[in-house]
Amino acid sequence: MKSRRNFVKTALAMTATAGVGTFSTLRNALAASTTDSRIDILLDEPRGTISPDIYGHFTEHLGGVMYDGIWVGLKSKVPNIDGLRRDVVEHMRKIKAPVVRYPGGCFADSYDWRDGVGPADKRPRRTNFWNGAENDKSPANHKFESNEFGTNEFVHFCKLIGAEPYLAANVRSLPATEFQHWVEYCNSPAGSTTLADLRAGAGYAEPFNVRYWGVGNESWGCGGNFTPQEYAVEFRRYTAWLPQYVKPLSLIASGPNTDEWFWTREFLQEIARKGPGQLREIYGMALHHYAWNLSRGKTNDWEKAKGDAIQFEPVDWYELLREGQRMEGLIEGHWQVMGEFDREHRIKLIVDEWGPWYRPGSEATPGDILEQTPTLRDAVFSALTLDIFNRHCGKVAMANCAQLINCLNSLYLAHEDRFVVTTVGRAFELYAGHQGGQSLRAEFSAPQVRYDRDGQAATFWGLNGSASVQGKNMLLTVVNPHVSEPREAEIVVRGGAISSGSASTLTHSDIHASNTFAHRDAVMPSHNPLKLGGQFVYTFPPASVSALSLQLR
Ligand code: AHR
């Protein structure tokens, strides 16, 4: 573990390199060398169980996600299991991936599931939904869908990693019968239907038992440009009398974009107009929030407002974290609106797309659209988002980071035989232990981050995180968002005592650091035993994500 002196040295060095070398920052760095923060974990105040599904993923037929990312093909020289990239399978097992959403995204509302079943060499080739966004460097199989990877391959992938499949049905361009038939294909018992026989013919006699079904995607946009009322009518129609087999289906409605409260309100109002019982058909409402506007209030233009993934100033670092922190208010706000109709709160939030979205330019593989290279900033962003979900585990039943590989907030980047676990993937490793735990109330008290935001004094919280417990094992995850100052915090467990523990911390002296094909281990967590006895103090390095595993007596 670095000494306090080293932290101050690091803080001063970073102050200089980060270009914020003011006297006040220097003074703050020195002041921070004494215990100035405190974390109280209240063992007697559980907030509910953290659904493992909060640690879910999202994969779409988009750019390099499926082809080259997950699917390398049966004849590939790239190490694989049944055509699936072995590195991805192994790492996803390690992080206990609970659920994976597929096949989109916008692609889902253009997709005919029948194209992706049956003998692979007989499957039709189609123009991919994202074709118009592809460029000269994009390979042909990103532009034109070979359908080599379809439902069977996806469910097989989920089974290999131990995750539940979550399928998004096409509401924009297929009739409701096709949704019913896709459910039948996946879930009807062996030998019971023609579609079950088709599945068995591909080697899958046993039903897939897919529980999670999305009813369209972004139905306010690429999923049909519906009004909330129109979509509610479609939702009722598509979900009326779906075939049921062993397990009930959990149906997920296309929900709001960020803070579009009207969507949540008017959709539920229209659903309930047919009778409040209709609300029971809905397992969850999908909320999407991307942190894309880094213009600091200058514009809302989708192209102009985006920032760069790897070249940024400390003010951009904080701006991204502010955009991420909005998630907390979005969960609280939409939850409140949902409660106007669903007073018992049976319907949960499913945040099935979240993450930062930068302008093009940092692709690990030129031609992979929407691919960006995550840095330490994205690990911190992801960690603070997962902490928010943990704190709101009574409201959020599932969340899916967008996306798993070679796209947006990727856990992995891959091309041909190259593979790397990004900083985001490393953050997911540190947080995996929260799955299924009891979320505990934890109070964080730390000096705020103060910085200059275009001539205006701005602040951001100084330390934040979440805690959970399973039996005698407690996990405390903490983010220090300050680009240059460590935070030394006293940690107190109220209602219990710690006997031993260890800490893992992800950070780097350069806030722009990333894991790349050339430097795969540039940003790796350090693991250290904790020295306990008397006051329990831990120093959270600048720009860091920490996971403290604590054993209770
Ligand atoms: O994740 C990329 C795209 O973002 C998805 O296809 C769509 O749902 C969202 O707009």
Side-chain angles (χ1 to χ4, degrees):
M1 193 158 49
K2 287 178 191 166
S3 67
R4 183 181 301 171
R5 181 189 293 269
N6 276 343
F7 279 132
V8 175
K9 258 183 16 199
T10 313
L12 296 179
M14 288 189 64
T15 301
T17 53
V20 287
T22 61
F23 173 69
S24 73
T25 316
L26 176 67
R27 192 186 52 208
N28 288 345
L30 291 169
S33 65
T34 59
T35 302
D36 56 9
S37 304
R38 192 181 157 104
I39 302 170
D40 287 277
I41 307 167
L42 292 98
L43 203 49
D44 298 333
E45 294 197 34
R47 286 172 150 154
T49 303
I50 297 173
S51 162
D53 291 345
I54 281 176
Y55 288 81
H57 305 282
F58 170 36
T59 58
E60 177 166 6
H61 284 255
L62 190 179
V65 179
M66 307 312 313
Y67 301 111
D68 200 23
I70 294 169
W71 181 253
V72 294
L74 293 165
K75 294 183 189 143
S76 175
K77 290 205 178 85
V78 176
N80 68 83
I81 305 173
D82 303 328
L84 299 155
R85 187 180 285 274
R86 181 181 285 276
D87 281 327
V88 173
V89 171
E90 284 176 354
H91 195 262
M92 290 188 83
R93 283 177 178 158
K94 187 172 165 190
I95 58 169
K96 300 189 174 68
V99 60
V100 188
R101 179 174 182 241
Y102 171 85
C106 293
F107 177 86
D109 278 290
S110 71
Y111 182 57
D112 185 344
W113 68 272
R114 285 180 194 267
D115 291 348
V117 298
D121 58 351
K122 303 245 164 18
R123 296 182 192 170
R125 285 169 297 136
R126 308 275 186 213
T127 307
N128 186 294
F129 170 88
W130 292 97
N131 179 55
E134 300 285 351
N135 56 49
D136 295 349
K137 297 196 180 97
S138 310
N141 67 355
H142 294 183
K143 298 174 184 169
F144 300 102
E145 176 57 54
S146 66
N147 283 305
E148 221 180 299
F149 189 96
T151 306
N152 303 334
E153 291 75 19
F154 174 67
V155 174
H156 186 55
F157 170 59
C158 290
K159 291 244 179 326
L160 280 177
I161 60 175
E164 287 280 332
Y166 164 19
L167 296 175
N170 180 344
V171 170
R172 173 169 65 81
S173 56
L174 281 185
T177 31
E178 284 309 315
F179 183 16
Q180 292 169 24
H181 288 161
W182 200 9
V183 174
E184 185 175 293
Y185 176 82
C186 291
N187 293 357
S188 61
S192 64
T193 64
T194 304
L195 289 174
D197 291 348
L198 180 64
R199 188 187 67 224
Y204 301 94
E206 289 313 307
F208 293 152
N209 289 328
V210 178
R211 170 187 167 191
Y212 297 120
W213 291 87
V215 184
N217 166 73
E218 296 194 349
S219 302
W220 39 263
C222 62
N225 274 328
F226 294 114
T227 65
Q229 291 81 5
E230 288 166 347
Y231 172 64
V233 172
E234 294 302 312
F235 182 90
R236 285 202 304 257
R237 196 161 68 83
Y238 273 67
T239 58
W241 302 102
L242 277 170
Q244 296 283 345
Y245 304 100
V246 184
K247 288 188 196 162
L249 306 181
S250 297
L251 300 172
I252 296 162
S254 174
N257 186 27
T258 301
D259 57 359
E260 294 186 339
W261 317 112
F262 79 94
W263 180 272
T264 304
R265 180 172 287 116
E266 294 175 28
F267 167 74
L268 291 173
Q269 202 165 38
E270 177 59 39
I271 290 283
R273 210 158 63 84
K274 183 75 175 45
Q278 293 288 321
L279 293 168
R280 297 210 190 101
E281 298 298 317
I282 310 170
Y283 171 71
M285 276 193 82
L287 162 67
H288 289 184
H289 173 56
Y290 285 101
W292 59 275
N293 191 334
L294 301 191
S295 75
R296 305 196 285 280
K298 293 187 192 80
T299 176
N300 268 326
D301 185 288
W302 174 248
E303 304 300 336
K304 291 193 191 116
K306 293 212 197 80
D308 196 276
I310 43 185
Q311 287 173 356
F312 54 83
E313 298 297 322
V315 69
D316 304 311
W317 164 286
Y318 293 125
E319 197 65 15
L320 182 83
L321 301 191
R322 278 166 76 118
E323 283 297 309
Q325 182 56 38
R326 288 179 71 195
M327 183 65 83
E328 191 137 36
L330 296 174
I331 291 169
E332 285 164 344
H334 286 294
W335 188 251
Q336 199 180 327
V337 176
M338 288 155 77
E340 292 172 17
F341 307 91
D342 176 28
R343 293 196 193 287
E344 294 162 8
H345 276 303
R346 299 163 73 116
I347 306 172
K348 305 296 179 199
L349 278 164
I350 309 289
V351 189
D352 60 18
E353 291 187 29
W354 65 267
W357 192 324
Y358 302 108
R359 67 168 87 102
S362 71
E363 300 81 1
T365 305
D368 279 5
I369 58 163
L370 270 61
E371 183 173 291
Q372 54 198 34
T373 296
T375 66
L376 182 61
R377 178 172 61 159
D378 303 296
V380 168
F381 176 101
S382 301
L384 78 80
T385 304
L386 294 171
D387 283 325
I388 292 171
F389 296 151
N390 289 342
R391 295 200 290 269
H392 293 277
C393 62
K395 309 179 186 84
V396 181
M398 189 197 292
N400 310 73
C401 179
Q403 297 195 11
L404 180 70
I405 182 166
N406 291 347
C407 186
L408 302 176
N409 203 37
S410 311
L411 279 81
Y412 317 115
L413 295 171
H415 180 50
E416 297 172 347
D417 61 351
R418 283 173 285 174
F419 174 81
V420 60
V421 179
T422 70
T423 52
V424 175
R426 295 296 171 201
F428 267 82
E429 285 173 13
L430 298 186
Y431 277 60
H434 277 304
Q435 295 186 31
Q438 278 294 312
S439 179
L440 297 172
R441 186 176 146 212
E443 295 299 329
F444 292 77
S445 164
Q448 289 191 315
V449 177
R450 295 178 187 281
Y451 66 102
D452 181 284
R453 188 173 182 257
D454 298 330
Q456 302 284 318
T459 58
F460 193 74
W461 47 255
L463 275 186
N464 213 342
S466 63
S468 69
V469 67
Q470 308 200 40
K472 295 273 179 208
N473 301 323
M474 183 183 281
L475 180 62
L476 170 68
T477 47
V478 181
V479 165
N480 176 2
H482 203 294
V483 292
S484 56
E485 291 181 14
R487 287 268 89 84
E488 195 170 60
E490 184 185 0
I491 299 169
V492 177
V493 178
R494 298 193 175 273
I498 306 165
S499 61
S500 61
S502 61
S504 301
T505 293
L506 189 71
T507 189
H508 197 278
S509 55
D510 180 0
I511 58 172
H512 310 91
S514 60
N515 294 337
T516 61
F517 294 145
H519 302 283
R520 298 174 63 208
D521 297 335
V523 188
M524 291 295 282
S526 63
H527 305 286
N528 303 291
L530 287 172
K531 285 202 192 85
L532 299 167
Q535 203 189 22
F536 173 23
V537 172
Y538 190 76
T539 303
F540 297 95
S544 68
V545 176
S546 298
L548 276 57
S549 299
L550 308 170
Q551 289 291 309
L552 294 171
R553 265 198 250 281

